[in-house]
Amino acid sequence: MNVKPKVLVVYYTQTGQLKRIVDHVLGPLEGKVDVTYEQLVPIEPFVFPWKKQTFYDTMPETVLGKPRGIQPLRVDVNAQFDLVILAYQPWFLSPSQPTAAFLQSEQGKQLLKGKNVITLLGSRNMWLNAQEKVKGYLDKAGAKLVGNIVLVDKSPNLVSLITVLRWAFKGKKEATRFLPQAGVQENEIITSNRFAAPIEKALTNNSWDTLHSELLALNAVELLPNLILLEDRGIKAFRFWAKFISAKGGPGAQARQPRVTMYRSLLLVGIFVLTPITLISSLIKLNLKKNELQREVEYYKGISLR
């Protein structure tokens, strides 16, 4: 009797989009693998749709890696799994707080130690810094990152910003007369089932060294060079504001709300100003330092840690 490979999916989702992505990626493997789902549950829930001030007030601890705690895991942390799929979203160019809490927890570290891990992201479009942090957490836990799959909203940057904020604050995802549907495009979600074949092959043969290259051949990670520059500038600004705001107290503290409001006001202006400037500067850099920027693209598309 053949024993089915065991796969653990660890995820957190507010809208259900990420779970749909997981279901499509694993759909072709139904009946072929034994899948366990572990949904991360914050001790104090993040309410969706968000209140605007609460949303922006969540930034400092997210960026500083000081997340709100999660409830104890239901899964046996000593159980054996052939593969762990860590499905997460970036928040403020960092891993979502429930994801970071899991990766920092003793339970999470124990569960991940010695395991093969695929990261699966559902994102607006900027995920590089979040993935770098996740790589670091996985490395400290003694896990082996064997693949990365990134599904993003392919609308233009400013359009996707408007639609995702509308979704986050009003809970409205559907398209309007002037705006597309928010989130990862439906076709991207449906066709993510193409990643099941190389995952099945790796599970069947216990061969993980070539998995990521096979996923890349199926466009598991697509990256526009200008987003590297835009995100690099963005994360530097976020780190400054995170320290500036948190100096006045913890999440929800009344003393820090004027600084949260200041950050909230400047953020959108900054994004609308930076996006066209960064696009131009990336085109210049592509011409002047093409090889350097291409090396950055190749690095971020990979799974190694600097």
Side-chain angles (χ1 to χ4, degrees), residues 20 24 173 181 183-192:
R20 289 192 64 233
H24 278 85
K173 182 183 181 180
Q181 186 181 68
V184 177
Q185 279 73 24
E186 188 66 16
N187 184 60
E188 294 294 312
I189 296 175
I190 293 171
T191 58
S192 65

Side-chain angles (χ1 to χ4, degrees), residues 14-15 46-52 54-56 91-92 124 160-173 182-183:
Q14 289 183 299
T15 66
F46 294 96
V47 178
F48 185 88
W50 292 81
K51 292 182 178 178
K52 289 183 180 180
T54 303
F55 175 80
Y56 292 107
W91 289 3
F92 302 103
R124 185 172 77 87
S160 67
L161 176 67
I162 294 169
T163 57
V164 78
L165 290 179
R166 178 173 173 264
W167 192 13
F169 298 145
K170 297 185 178 181
K172 295 181 179 180
K173 182 183 181 180

Side-chain angles (χ1 to χ4, degrees), residues 22-36:
V22 169
D23 289 344
H24 278 85
V25 169
L26 293 180
L29 302 183
E30 187 175 352
K32 300 178 182 179
V33 297
D34 182 0
V35 183
T36 300

Side-chain angles (χ1 to χ4, degrees), residues 7 168 248:
V7 177
K248 284 292 186 177

Side-chain angles (χ1 to χ4, degrees), residues 137-209:
Y137 287 132
L138 292 174
D139 185 61
K140 287 179 182 178
K144 182 182 180 183
L145 183 60
V146 295
N148 183 32
I149 300 169
V150 184
L151 270 64
V152 301
D153 182 346
K154 292 189 174 180
S155 298
N157 188 47
L158 297 182
V159 173
S160 67
L161 176 67
I162 294 169
T163 57
V164 78
L165 290 179
R166 178 173 173 264
W167 192 13
F169 298 145
K170 297 185 178 181
K172 295 181 179 180
K173 182 183 181 180
E174 65 276 6
T176 68
R177 182 179 175 185
F178 301 106
L179 294 171
Q181 186 181 68
V184 177
Q185 279 73 24
E186 188 66 16
N187 184 60
E188 294 294 312
I189 296 175
I190 293 171
T191 58
S192 65
N193 61 3
R194 67 188 185 275
F195 302 122
I199 294 173
E200 181 182 7
K201 177 184 171 184
L203 283 167
T204 302
N205 300 328
N206 193 30
S207 58
W208 301 99
D209 292 343

